[in-house]
Amino acid sequence: MDSDSGGDAGSTGDPRATYDRIAAHFSKTREYAWPEVESFLDGRSGPVALDVGCGNGRHTEALAARAETAVGVDLSRGLLDEAVARASERGYADATAFVHGDAAALPVRDGAVDLAVYVATLHHLSPRDTRVESLNELARVLAPDGVALVSAWSTAHDRFDREEGFDTTVDWTLPGGETVPRYYHIYSPSEFESDLAESDLEPHHVTVSSGNCYAEVSPPDR
């Protein structure tokens, strides 16, 4: 369930139903990998890569170029269908597997992942305990020498005039004008660092870029 930008406070709703509803239109607006993801992946590779909250698979495609197998996990079956279609159309389906799953309970065995991205998805989870548990899950599946990039939308974005983290909803507008609200937790940079510190991950290079918090992370005791 990768994402973009937003409104004001609301309930968590049902992210699976939300993204199933907007999957086809959403996918058409998500063509290219983020520059920050491309920079993170530059010079890195490994046998198994993981894209947590893979959406339509645009970052799974980038991982597939650097791994023997790239696994995309998403809660939305509609987005997984879009990801499978994209991989088939672009000729990298043989290097990918797309799996229905929850970021807070990854369907991946311990220590199996060499390279991962978990971008634009953490902020859709609620409450905080679930967000931290999803970070713990990432730590669990990373190999001892594995590395991952985590991102979340931030109060540092110029559309927000707030310093504390907060919950909000962001409407997605479908062709024809129907709006579908999506839950977000907008992180303050300090809160992002606090959740990483609370988790089992070891954070490195925590930064803010393009209105998002980013951290390169590794499993504990690396």
Side-chain angles (χ1 to χ4, degrees):
M1 297 179 296
D2 67 14
S3 52
D4 63 349
S5 24
D8 217 338
S11 67
T12 60
D14 180 351
R16 178 176 359 194
T18 296
Y19 276 89
D20 283 349
R21 178 73 185 89
I22 70 174
H25 184 236
F26 180 86
S27 181
K28 291 176 182 177
T29 70
R30 298 296 184 272
E31 181 69 15
Y32 304 107
W34 285 4
E36 292 86 353
V37 173
E38 293 181 324
S39 295
F40 167 73
L41 293 177
D42 187 35
R44 289 189 163 107
S45 62
V48 178
L50 176 66
D51 185 359
V52 182
C54 65
N56 72 340
R58 58 175 168 165
H59 293 130
T60 320
E61 180 175 5
L63 289 167
R66 295 164 175 81
E68 295 172 18
T69 302
V71 179
V73 175
D74 205 282
L75 191 63
S76 166
R77 294 189 185 276
L79 285 175
L80 289 171
D81 288 345
E82 295 291 329
V84 169
R86 179 186 175 109
S88 178
E89 291 166 2
R90 293 173 178 250
Y92 61 92
D94 289 348
T96 59
F98 292 100
V99 181
H100 182 250
D102 190 326
L106 290 170
V108 179
R109 65 180 172 83
D110 294 2
V113 175
D114 305 285
L115 184 61
V117 295
Y118 181 18
V119 299
T121 297
L122 176 67
H123 50 222
H124 288 309
L125 276 59
S126 179
R128 177 178 185 260
D129 287 351
T130 301
R131 293 191 290 272
V132 173
E133 183 55 33
S134 75
L135 297 172
N136 290 341
E137 277 289 275
L138 182 59
R140 178 184 64 79
V141 303
L142 283 173
D145 60 350
V147 63
L149 180 69
V150 178
S151 85
W153 208 18
S154 172
T155 56
H157 194 284
D158 58 14
R159 74 179 295 155
F160 301 124
D161 187 24
R162 299 170 76 158
E163 295 183 359
E164 301 290 327
F166 64 100
D167 293 335
T168 189
T169 55
V170 180
D171 284 344
W172 183 269
T173 304
L174 290 166
E178 178 188 355
T179 58
V180 182
R182 300 170 295 156
Y183 166 82
Y184 282 73
H185 179 76
I186 308 301
Y187 270 96
S188 69
S190 62
E191 182 190 17
F192 182 69
E193 292 191 40
S194 178
D195 278 11
L196 288 169
E198 180 72 15
S199 80
D200 295 334
L201 291 165
E202 293 289 341
H204 315 279
H205 311 301
V206 182
T207 60
V208 175
S209 176
S210 303
N212 291 278
C213 294
Y214 289 91
E216 294 181 16
V217 298
S218 60
D221 302 322
R222 174 168 169 172

